[in-house]
Amino acid sequence: MTDLFEYPKHVSFNCSLCARCCGDTEDRVRQILLLQMEAQRISNATGLGIEKFATKVSGSEPYIYRMRKPVDGKCFFLKESRCTIYSIRPLICRFYPFQLKNLGNNRYVFSYTNKCLGIGKDPQLTRDFFENLFNQFTKAFEENSETTQETT
Ligand code: SF4
């Protein structure tokens, strides 16, 4: 595959399952944005209407929903510090603490936040890790575009 994306070369990361990224912290309000396809998939799997767990937002397209955080600023689906929709969690959750920025001309760059407690813990990440994330991103956006075409 050609180098469509750049990534940090010497970063180590190991998720400590602290669930801090699943809600607000003392110094940060967490926005858990959802694609239409993701909201629909969660709704189908849980039997809940989308409006039960998310609200509509504008200005962040293609993300058009924001997860509700009903208790202590924590995600609707976080129960006893565990994600109850882990296998279908949104892309934004799969990416944390990394972000992908579109540089234009089909080029992207990964960055990360030091606020995550897992940053700095072994193992050091390789290109494969970022390629896997990048593939998930591509797949989700393709599926989302098919879903939105079907519903428009
Ligand atoms: S969907 Fe799961 S991983 Fe994402 S914020 Fe909610 S509880 Fe955390």
Side-chain angles (χ1 to χ4, degrees), residues 92-122:
I92 232 159
C93 305
R94 292 168 193 272
F95 263 61
Y96 193 87
F98 299 95
Q99 284 185 332
L100 191 61
K101 186 172 175 198
N102 188 343
L103 299 176
N105 291 328
N106 218 17
R107 293 191 53 76
Y108 297 83
V109 62
F110 280 98
S111 60
Y112 62 93
T113 171
N114 278 320
K115 299 266 180 204
C116 172
L117 301 178
I119 288 286
K121 303 225 169 97
D122 284 343

PDB file of all heavy atoms in Angstrom, residues 92-122:
ATOM      1  N   ILE A  92     -14.477   6.468  16.821  1.00  0.00           N
ATOM      2  CA  ILE A  92     -13.800   7.440  17.680  1.00  0.00           C
ATOM      3  C   ILE A  92     -13.262   6.751  18.935  1.00  0.00           C
ATOM      4  O   ILE A  92     -12.195   7.102  19.443  1.00  0.00           O
ATOM      5  CB  ILE A  92     -14.777   8.607  17.986  1.00  0.00           C
ATOM      6  CG1 ILE A  92     -14.128   9.916  17.659  1.00  0.00           C
ATOM      7  CG2 ILE A  92     -15.358   8.560  19.333  1.00  0.00           C
ATOM      8  CD1 ILE A  92     -15.097  11.056  17.444  1.00  0.00           C
ATOM      9  N   CYS A  93     -13.971   5.734  19.420  1.00  0.00           N
ATOM     10  CA  CYS A  93     -13.529   4.972  20.587  1.00  0.00           C
ATOM     11  C   CYS A  93     -12.397   4.021  20.194  1.00  0.00           C
ATOM     12  O   CYS A  93     -11.457   3.824  20.956  1.00  0.00           O
ATOM     13  CB  CYS A  93     -14.677   4.176  21.167  1.00  0.00           C
ATOM     14  SG  CYS A  93     -16.119   5.172  21.565  1.00  0.00           S
ATOM     15  N   ARG A  94     -12.500   3.454  18.995  1.00  0.00           N
ATOM     16  CA  ARG A  94     -11.436   2.543  18.529  1.00  0.00           C
ATOM     17  C   ARG A  94     -10.133   3.302  18.335  1.00  0.00           C
ATOM     18  O   ARG A  94      -9.046   2.754  18.508  1.00  0.00           O
ATOM     19  CB  ARG A  94     -11.824   1.910  17.188  1.00  0.00           C
ATOM     20  CG  ARG A  94     -12.987   0.967  17.314  1.00  0.00           C
ATOM     21  CD  ARG A  94     -13.550   0.586  15.952  1.00  0.00           C
ATOM     22  NE  ARG A  94     -14.825  -0.062  16.147  1.00  0.00           N
ATOM     23  CZ  ARG A  94     -14.962  -1.375  16.352  1.00  0.00           C
ATOM     24  NH1 ARG A  94     -13.927  -2.170  16.306  1.00  0.00           N
ATOM     25  NH2 ARG A  94     -16.151  -1.876  16.573  1.00  0.00           N
ATOM     26  N   PHE A  95     -10.233   4.559  17.956  1.00  0.00           N
ATOM     27  CA  PHE A  95      -9.042   5.347  17.657  1.00  0.00           C
ATOM     28  C   PHE A  95      -8.348   5.882  18.917  1.00  0.00           C
ATOM     29  O   PHE A  95      -7.142   6.046  18.913  1.00  0.00           O
ATOM     30  CB  PHE A  95      -9.423   6.543  16.773  1.00  0.00           C
ATOM     31  CG  PHE A  95      -9.177   6.289  15.323  1.00  0.00           C
ATOM     32  CD1 PHE A  95      -9.831   5.251  14.668  1.00  0.00           C
ATOM     33  CD2 PHE A  95      -8.287   7.053  14.604  1.00  0.00           C
ATOM     34  CE1 PHE A  95      -9.606   5.006  13.323  1.00  0.00           C
ATOM     35  CE2 PHE A  95      -8.042   6.814  13.263  1.00  0.00           C
ATOM     36  CZ  PHE A  95      -8.711   5.791  12.619  1.00  0.00           C
ATOM     37  N   TYR A  96      -9.108   6.212  19.947  1.00  0.00           N
ATOM     38  CA  TYR A  96      -8.523   6.897  21.101  1.00  0.00           C
ATOM     39  C   TYR A  96      -7.309   6.140  21.648  1.00  0.00           C
ATOM     40  O   TYR A  96      -7.370   4.923  21.768  1.00  0.00           O
ATOM     41  CB  TYR A  96      -9.574   7.049  22.219  1.00  0.00           C
ATOM     42  CG  TYR A  96      -9.116   7.998  23.281  1.00  0.00           C
ATOM     43  CD1 TYR A  96      -9.337   9.361  23.161  1.00  0.00           C
ATOM     44  CD2 TYR A  96      -8.404   7.532  24.381  1.00  0.00           C
ATOM     45  CE1 TYR A  96      -8.874  10.241  24.128  1.00  0.00           C
ATOM     46  CE2 TYR A  96      -7.937   8.411  25.344  1.00  0.00           C
ATOM     47  CZ  TYR A  96      -8.179   9.757  25.210  1.00  0.00           C
ATOM     48  OH  TYR A  96      -7.711  10.614  26.160  1.00  0.00           O
ATOM     49  N   PRO A  97      -6.191   6.790  21.939  1.00  0.00           N
ATOM     50  CA  PRO A  97      -5.929   8.234  22.028  1.00  0.00           C
ATOM     51  C   PRO A  97      -5.391   8.841  20.733  1.00  0.00           C
ATOM     52  O   PRO A  97      -4.765   9.910  20.764  1.00  0.00           O
ATOM     53  CB  PRO A  97      -4.852   8.295  23.121  1.00  0.00           C
ATOM     54  CG  PRO A  97      -4.073   7.033  22.895  1.00  0.00           C
ATOM     55  CD  PRO A  97      -5.071   5.997  22.440  1.00  0.00           C
ATOM     56  N   PHE A  98      -5.667   8.186  19.605  1.00  0.00           N
ATOM     57  CA  PHE A  98      -5.154   8.696  18.327  1.00  0.00           C
ATOM     58  C   PHE A  98      -6.256   9.403  17.557  1.00  0.00           C
ATOM     59  O   PHE A  98      -7.442   9.116  17.742  1.00  0.00           O
ATOM     60  CB  PHE A  98      -4.563   7.539  17.505  1.00  0.00           C
ATOM     61  CG  PHE A  98      -3.428   6.884  18.212  1.00  0.00           C
ATOM     62  CD1 PHE A  98      -3.643   5.751  18.978  1.00  0.00           C
ATOM     63  CD2 PHE A  98      -2.156   7.438  18.182  1.00  0.00           C
ATOM     64  CE1 PHE A  98      -2.613   5.165  19.686  1.00  0.00           C
ATOM     65  CE2 PHE A  98      -1.122   6.851  18.888  1.00  0.00           C
ATOM     66  CZ  PHE A  98      -1.346   5.722  19.646  1.00  0.00           C
ATOM     67  N   GLN A  99      -5.811  10.292  16.697  1.00  0.00           N
ATOM     68  CA  GLN A  99      -6.730  11.012  15.826  1.00  0.00           C
ATOM     69  C   GLN A  99      -6.149  11.012  14.436  1.00  0.00           C
ATOM     70  O   GLN A  99      -4.919  10.964  14.288  1.00  0.00           O
ATOM     71  CB  GLN A  99      -6.833  12.478  16.249  1.00  0.00           C
ATOM     72  CG  GLN A  99      -7.668  12.707  17.459  1.00  0.00           C
ATOM     73  CD  GLN A  99      -7.818  14.193  17.732  1.00  0.00           C
ATOM     74  OE1 GLN A  99      -6.946  14.970  17.387  1.00  0.00           O
ATOM     75  NE2 GLN A  99      -8.905  14.571  18.354  1.00  0.00           N
ATOM     76  N   LEU A 100      -7.009  11.105  13.456  1.00  0.00           N
ATOM     77  CA  LEU A 100      -6.559  11.137  12.066  1.00  0.00           C
ATOM     78  C   LEU A 100      -7.017  12.443  11.456  1.00  0.00           C
ATOM     79  O   LEU A 100      -8.204  12.767  11.477  1.00  0.00           O
ATOM     80  CB  LEU A 100      -7.174   9.954  11.313  1.00  0.00           C
ATOM     81  CG  LEU A 100      -6.636   9.668   9.929  1.00  0.00           C
ATOM     82  CD1 LEU A 100      -5.146   9.333   9.974  1.00  0.00           C
ATOM     83  CD2 LEU A 100      -7.409   8.522   9.298  1.00  0.00           C
ATOM     84  N   LYS A 101      -6.048  13.189  10.928  1.00  0.00           N
ATOM     85  CA  LYS A 101      -6.391  14.469  10.307  1.00  0.00           C
ATOM     86  C   LYS A 101      -6.225  14.352   8.805  1.00  0.00           C
ATOM     87  O   LYS A 101      -5.228  13.791   8.332  1.00  0.00           O
ATOM     88  CB  LYS A 101      -5.473  15.558  10.865  1.00  0.00           C
ATOM     89  CG  LYS A 101      -5.837  16.931  10.392  1.00  0.00           C
ATOM     90  CD  LYS A 101      -5.019  17.970  11.117  1.00  0.00           C
ATOM     91  CE  LYS A 101      -5.323  19.329  10.532  1.00  0.00           C
ATOM     92  NZ  LYS A 101      -4.322  20.321  10.858  1.00  0.00           N
ATOM     93  N   ASN A 102      -7.202  14.882   8.076  1.00  0.00           N
ATOM     94  CA  ASN A 102      -7.151  14.874   6.612  1.00  0.00           C
ATOM     95  C   ASN A 102      -6.345  16.090   6.141  1.00  0.00           C
ATOM     96  O   ASN A 102      -6.717  17.226   6.394  1.00  0.00           O
ATOM     97  CB  ASN A 102      -8.595  14.942   6.067  1.00  0.00           C
ATOM     98  CG  ASN A 102      -8.631  14.747   4.578  1.00  0.00           C
ATOM     99  OD1 ASN A 102      -7.620  14.874   3.894  1.00  0.00           O
ATOM    100  ND2 ASN A 102      -9.809  14.431   4.064  1.00  0.00           N
ATOM    101  N   LEU A 103      -5.228  15.823   5.463  1.00  0.00           N
ATOM    102  CA  LEU A 103      -4.382  16.921   4.994  1.00  0.00           C
ATOM    103  C   LEU A 103      -4.780  17.380   3.593  1.00  0.00           C
ATOM    104  O   LEU A 103      -4.198  18.312   3.061  1.00  0.00           O
ATOM    105  CB  LEU A 103      -2.913  16.471   4.950  1.00  0.00           C
ATOM    106  CG  LEU A 103      -2.291  16.034   6.283  1.00  0.00           C
ATOM    107  CD1 LEU A 103      -0.881  15.521   6.049  1.00  0.00           C
ATOM    108  CD2 LEU A 103      -2.278  17.183   7.271  1.00  0.00           C
ATOM    109  N   GLY A 104      -5.761  16.707   2.988  1.00  0.00           N
ATOM    110  CA  GLY A 104      -6.136  17.010   1.604  1.00  0.00           C
ATOM    111  C   GLY A 104      -5.321  16.153   0.653  1.00  0.00           C
ATOM    112  O   GLY A 104      -4.365  15.484   1.063  1.00  0.00           O
ATOM    113  N   ASN A 105      -5.721  16.141  -0.609  1.00  0.00           N
ATOM    114  CA  ASN A 105      -5.038  15.329  -1.630  1.00  0.00           C
ATOM    115  C   ASN A 105      -4.879  13.879  -1.210  1.00  0.00           C
ATOM    116  O   ASN A 105      -3.858  13.248  -1.482  1.00  0.00           O
ATOM    117  CB  ASN A 105      -3.656  15.904  -1.969  1.00  0.00           C
ATOM    118  CG  ASN A 105      -3.783  17.208  -2.687  1.00  0.00           C
ATOM    119  OD1 ASN A 105      -4.742  17.417  -3.421  1.00  0.00           O
ATOM    120  ND2 ASN A 105      -2.841  18.101  -2.445  1.00  0.00           N
ATOM    121  N   ASN A 106      -5.871  13.380  -0.480  1.00  0.00           N
ATOM    122  CA  ASN A 106      -5.861  11.972  -0.093  1.00  0.00           C
ATOM    123  C   ASN A 106      -4.706  11.612   0.837  1.00  0.00           C
ATOM    124  O   ASN A 106      -4.206  10.489   0.807  1.00  0.00           O
ATOM    125  CB  ASN A 106      -5.822  11.101  -1.355  1.00  0.00           C
ATOM    126  CG  ASN A 106      -6.675   9.874  -1.202  1.00  0.00           C
ATOM    127  OD1 ASN A 106      -7.524   9.823  -0.308  1.00  0.00           O
ATOM    128  ND2 ASN A 106      -6.430   8.889  -2.030  1.00  0.00           N
ATOM    129  N   ARG A 107      -4.272  12.552   1.641  1.00  0.00           N
ATOM    130  CA  ARG A 107      -3.195  12.282   2.596  1.00  0.00           C
ATOM    131  C   ARG A 107      -3.692  12.583   4.008  1.00  0.00           C
ATOM    132  O   ARG A 107      -4.453  13.523   4.214  1.00  0.00           O
ATOM    133  CB  ARG A 107      -1.952  13.126   2.285  1.00  0.00           C
ATOM    134  CG  ARG A 107      -1.293  12.727   0.973  1.00  0.00           C
ATOM    135  CD  ARG A 107       0.075  13.385   0.819  1.00  0.00           C
ATOM    136  NE  ARG A 107       0.937  13.135   1.980  1.00  0.00           N
ATOM    137  CZ  ARG A 107       1.561  11.987   2.221  1.00  0.00           C
ATOM    138  NH1 ARG A 107       1.441  10.989   1.392  1.00  0.00           N
ATOM    139  NH2 ARG A 107       2.317  11.850   3.286  1.00  0.00           N
ATOM    140  N   TYR A 108      -3.201  11.771   4.955  1.00  0.00           N
ATOM    141  CA  TYR A 108      -3.678  11.873   6.340  1.00  0.00           C
ATOM    142  C   TYR A 108      -2.507  11.805   7.300  1.00  0.00           C
ATOM    143  O   TYR A 108      -1.457  11.253   6.969  1.00  0.00           O
ATOM    144  CB  TYR A 108      -4.632  10.708   6.653  1.00  0.00           C
ATOM    145  CG  TYR A 108      -5.872  10.704   5.811  1.00  0.00           C
ATOM    146  CD1 TYR A 108      -5.862  10.148   4.522  1.00  0.00           C
ATOM    147  CD2 TYR A 108      -7.057  11.256   6.285  1.00  0.00           C
ATOM    148  CE1 TYR A 108      -7.002  10.152   3.738  1.00  0.00           C
ATOM    149  CE2 TYR A 108      -8.205  11.248   5.503  1.00  0.00           C
ATOM    150  CZ  TYR A 108      -8.163  10.700   4.230  1.00  0.00           C
ATOM    151  OH  TYR A 108      -9.291  10.701   3.457  1.00  0.00           O
ATOM    152  N   VAL A 109      -2.717  12.357   8.495  1.00  0.00           N
ATOM    153  CA  VAL A 109      -1.676  12.239   9.520  1.00  0.00           C
ATOM    154  C   VAL A 109      -2.313  11.853  10.856  1.00  0.00           C
ATOM    155  O   VAL A 109      -3.361  12.382  11.232  1.00  0.00           O
ATOM    156  CB  VAL A 109      -0.844  13.541   9.628  1.00  0.00           C
ATOM    157  CG1 VAL A 109      -1.696  14.730  10.043  1.00  0.00           C
ATOM    158  CG2 VAL A 109       0.335  13.363  10.574  1.00  0.00           C
ATOM    159  N   PHE A 110      -1.683  10.912  11.539  1.00  0.00           N
ATOM    160  CA  PHE A 110      -2.120  10.509  12.881  1.00  0.00           C
ATOM    161  C   PHE A 110      -1.434  11.381  13.928  1.00  0.00           C
ATOM    162  O   PHE A 110      -0.235  11.683  13.811  1.00  0.00           O
ATOM    163  CB  PHE A 110      -1.706   9.056  13.171  1.00  0.00           C
ATOM    164  CG  PHE A 110      -2.599   8.027  12.569  1.00  0.00           C
ATOM    165  CD1 PHE A 110      -2.264   7.413  11.371  1.00  0.00           C
ATOM    166  CD2 PHE A 110      -3.784   7.659  13.198  1.00  0.00           C
ATOM    167  CE1 PHE A 110      -3.087   6.442  10.808  1.00  0.00           C
ATOM    168  CE2 PHE A 110      -4.616   6.692  12.653  1.00  0.00           C
ATOM    169  CZ  PHE A 110      -4.269   6.086  11.452  1.00  0.00           C
ATOM    170  N   SER A 111      -2.203  11.752  14.944  1.00  0.00           N
ATOM    171  CA  SER A 111      -1.606  12.397  16.116  1.00  0.00           C
ATOM    172  C   SER A 111      -2.197  11.716  17.350  1.00  0.00           C
ATOM    173  O   SER A 111      -3.071  10.850  17.219  1.00  0.00           O
ATOM    174  CB  SER A 111      -1.914  13.896  16.127  1.00  0.00           C
ATOM    175  OG  SER A 111      -3.308  14.082  16.171  1.00  0.00           O
ATOM    176  N   TYR A 112      -1.734  12.101  18.531  1.00  0.00           N
ATOM    177  CA  TYR A 112      -2.289  11.473  19.740  1.00  0.00           C
ATOM    178  C   TYR A 112      -2.265  12.452  20.893  1.00  0.00           C
ATOM    179  O   TYR A 112      -1.599  13.485  20.842  1.00  0.00           O
ATOM    180  CB  TYR A 112      -1.494  10.205  20.107  1.00  0.00           C
ATOM    181  CG  TYR A 112      -0.044  10.432  20.443  1.00  0.00           C
ATOM    182  CD1 TYR A 112       0.368  10.625  21.757  1.00  0.00           C
ATOM    183  CD2 TYR A 112       0.911  10.443  19.444  1.00  0.00           C
ATOM    184  CE1 TYR A 112       1.707  10.823  22.065  1.00  0.00           C
ATOM    185  CE2 TYR A 112       2.254  10.646  19.734  1.00  0.00           C
ATOM    186  CZ  TYR A 112       2.635  10.836  21.049  1.00  0.00           C
ATOM    187  OH  TYR A 112       3.964  11.042  21.335  1.00  0.00           O
ATOM    188  N   THR A 113      -3.029  12.113  21.932  1.00  0.00           N
ATOM    189  CA  THR A 113      -3.049  12.956  23.121  1.00  0.00           C
ATOM    190  C   THR A 113      -2.296  12.280  24.259  1.00  0.00           C
ATOM    191  O   THR A 113      -2.455  11.079  24.496  1.00  0.00           O
ATOM    192  CB  THR A 113      -4.501  13.272  23.578  1.00  0.00           C
ATOM    193  OG1 THR A 113      -4.438  13.916  24.852  1.00  0.00           O
ATOM    194  CG2 THR A 113      -5.356  12.026  23.717  1.00  0.00           C
ATOM    195  N   ASN A 114      -1.512  13.075  24.954  1.00  0.00           N
ATOM    196  CA  ASN A 114      -0.766  12.583  26.123  1.00  0.00           C
ATOM    197  C   ASN A 114      -1.658  12.406  27.343  1.00  0.00           C
ATOM    198  O   ASN A 114      -1.208  11.922  28.368  1.00  0.00           O
ATOM    199  CB  ASN A 114       0.342  13.572  26.480  1.00  0.00           C
ATOM    200  CG  ASN A 114       1.555  13.346  25.616  1.00  0.00           C
ATOM    201  OD1 ASN A 114       1.921  12.219  25.343  1.00  0.00           O
ATOM    202  ND2 ASN A 114       2.161  14.427  25.162  1.00  0.00           N
ATOM    203  N   LYS A 115      -2.921  12.830  27.229  1.00  0.00           N
ATOM    204  CA  LYS A 115      -3.834  12.708  28.376  1.00  0.00           C
ATOM    205  C   LYS A 115      -4.157  11.246  28.666  1.00  0.00           C
ATOM    206  O   LYS A 115      -4.626  10.916  29.749  1.00  0.00           O
ATOM    207  CB  LYS A 115      -5.156  13.430  28.079  1.00  0.00           C
ATOM    208  CG  LYS A 115      -5.013  14.897  27.815  1.00  0.00           C
ATOM    209  CD  LYS A 115      -5.220  15.690  29.063  1.00  0.00           C
ATOM    210  CE  LYS A 115      -5.086  17.173  28.791  1.00  0.00           C
ATOM    211  NZ  LYS A 115      -4.731  17.931  29.973  1.00  0.00           N
ATOM    212  N   CYS A 116      -3.954  10.385  27.671  1.00  0.00           N
ATOM    213  CA  CYS A 116      -4.261   8.963  27.860  1.00  0.00           C
ATOM    214  C   CYS A 116      -3.185   8.312  28.733  1.00  0.00           C
ATOM    215  O   CYS A 116      -1.989   8.443  28.463  1.00  0.00           O
ATOM    216  CB  CYS A 116      -4.320   8.286  26.494  1.00  0.00           C
ATOM    217  SG  CYS A 116      -4.470   6.501  26.614  1.00  0.00           S
ATOM    218  N   LEU A 117      -3.630   7.562  29.744  1.00  0.00           N
ATOM    219  CA  LEU A 117      -2.687   6.927  30.671  1.00  0.00           C
ATOM    220  C   LEU A 117      -1.913   5.783  30.024  1.00  0.00           C
ATOM    221  O   LEU A 117      -0.884   5.350  30.532  1.00  0.00           O
ATOM    222  CB  LEU A 117      -3.437   6.380  31.897  1.00  0.00           C
ATOM    223  CG  LEU A 117      -4.227   7.412  32.717  1.00  0.00           C
ATOM    224  CD1 LEU A 117      -4.947   6.733  33.873  1.00  0.00           C
ATOM    225  CD2 LEU A 117      -3.315   8.511  33.231  1.00  0.00           C
ATOM    226  N   GLY A 118      -2.416   5.284  28.898  1.00  0.00           N
ATOM    227  CA  GLY A 118      -1.746   4.180  28.209  1.00  0.00           C
ATOM    228  C   GLY A 118      -0.587   4.621  27.326  1.00  0.00           C
ATOM    229  O   GLY A 118       0.238   3.799  26.921  1.00  0.00           O
ATOM    230  N   ILE A 119      -0.513   5.906  27.036  1.00  0.00           N
ATOM    231  CA  ILE A 119       0.597   6.406  26.216  1.00  0.00           C
ATOM    232  C   ILE A 119       1.887   6.314  27.032  1.00  0.00           C
ATOM    233  O   ILE A 119       1.917   6.672  28.216  1.00  0.00           O
ATOM    234  CB  ILE A 119       0.335   7.874  25.769  1.00  0.00           C
ATOM    235  CG1 ILE A 119      -0.767   7.914  24.716  1.00  0.00           C
ATOM    236  CG2 ILE A 119       1.598   8.548  25.253  1.00  0.00           C
ATOM    237  CD1 ILE A 119      -0.365   7.417  23.332  1.00  0.00           C
ATOM    238  N   GLY A 120       2.938   5.801  26.393  1.00  0.00           N
ATOM    239  CA  GLY A 120       4.224   5.659  27.083  1.00  0.00           C
ATOM    240  C   GLY A 120       4.422   4.257  27.649  1.00  0.00           C
ATOM    241  O   GLY A 120       5.493   3.931  28.151  1.00  0.00           O
ATOM    242  N   LYS A 121       3.371   3.433  27.567  1.00  0.00           N
ATOM    243  CA  LYS A 121       3.503   2.042  28.071  1.00  0.00           C
ATOM    244  C   LYS A 121       3.791   1.115  26.885  1.00  0.00           C
ATOM    245  O   LYS A 121       3.177   1.246  25.823  1.00  0.00           O
ATOM    246  CB  LYS A 121       2.194   1.607  28.733  1.00  0.00           C
ATOM    247  CG  LYS A 121       1.763   2.537  29.866  1.00  0.00           C
ATOM    248  CD  LYS A 121       1.324   1.748  31.085  1.00  0.00           C
ATOM    249  CE  LYS A 121       1.162   2.632  32.294  1.00  0.00           C
ATOM    250  NZ  LYS A 121      -0.211   3.063  32.525  1.00  0.00           N
ATOM    251  N   ASP A 122       4.667   0.151  27.082  1.00  0.00           N
ATOM    252  CA  ASP A 122       5.008  -0.785  26.010  1.00  0.00           C
ATOM    253  C   ASP A 122       3.767  -1.535  25.539  1.00  0.00           C
ATOM    254  O   ASP A 122       2.856  -1.747  26.341  1.00  0.00           O
ATOM    255  CB  ASP A 122       6.051  -1.785  26.508  1.00  0.00           C
ATOM    256  CG  ASP A 122       7.428  -1.127  26.571  1.00  0.00           C
ATOM    257  OD1 ASP A 122       7.592  -0.054  25.947  1.00  0.00           O
ATOM    258  OD2 ASP A 122       8.304  -1.671  27.248  1.00  0.00           O
TER     259      ASP A 122
END
